[in-house]
Amino acid sequence: MILVDSNIIIDVLTSDPTWRGWSEAALGDAADRDEVAINPIIYAEIAAGFATIAALDRHLGAETFRRLPLPYEAGFVAGRAFVEYRRRGGARTSPLPDFYIGAHAAVSGLILLTRDARRYAGYFPKVRLISPD
């Protein structure tokens, strides 16, 4: 199964002039190869662009994206990655959504489709990534 990072979906929904082509093709390829999924963190990041749940759900079609729960184990792994981020000089004071997304992929053995390969590879080196890098 392939977990789709919010940046990919946002590229497509907003017709991003730089990334839409790559993101749309990568998402299509992923959906042709395997089941594609999102989690509550990804859903929340995308929700910022919509006024209602109904509008968001129309754009995220349940027939397209499987909705996965976020495992509690992912919370622990995200927290440990965040500690490493702070140790390396990271300035944020609370765990970033990317740590939860990467941890979810790590503990569930999911492939991750993203444009942010550097962060995920740096903190979740065992996660298989599909990215432009």
Side-chain angles (χ1 to χ4, degrees):
M1 186 174 307
I2 300 171
L3 189 62
V4 181
D5 198 357
S6 56
N7 55 31
I8 301 297
I9 298 168
I10 291 168
D11 289 346
V12 174
L13 292 176
T14 64
S15 296
D16 182 275
T18 303
W19 288 105
R20 180 183 181 192
W22 186 90
S23 293
E24 199 167 57
L27 182 57
D29 290 346
D32 287 345
R33 283 196 336 225
D34 206 339
E35 190 171 14
V36 292
I38 59 173
N39 66 27
I41 301 292
I42 295 163
Y43 187 88
E45 289 185 316
I46 298 165
F50 292 87
T52 66
I53 292 172
L56 173 60
D57 286 342
R58 275 193 304 276
H59 283 85
L60 286 181
E63 68 284 348
T64 304
F65 295 98
R66 182 169 173 197
R67 268 86 166 162
L68 300 177
L70 189 61
Y72 273 86
E73 185 182 354
F76 178 82
V77 173
R80 297 308 309 157
F82 180 72
V83 167
E84 180 61 18
Y85 163 80
R86 294 285 294 168
R87 189 190 68 70
R88 294 181 189 179
R92 302 237 178 154
T93 58
S94 63
L96 302 169
D98 290 348
F99 289 119
Y100 289 106
I101 294 166
H104 185 184
V107 303
S108 298
L110 304 171
I111 298 167
L112 180 59
L113 171 58
T114 184
R115 280 195 290 101
D116 193 10
R118 185 172 29 172
R119 174 171 302 188
Y120 290 116
Y123 292 98
F124 305 100
K126 293 183 181 179
V127 172
R128 185 169 156 222
L129 301 174
I130 301 171
S131 70
D133 298 338

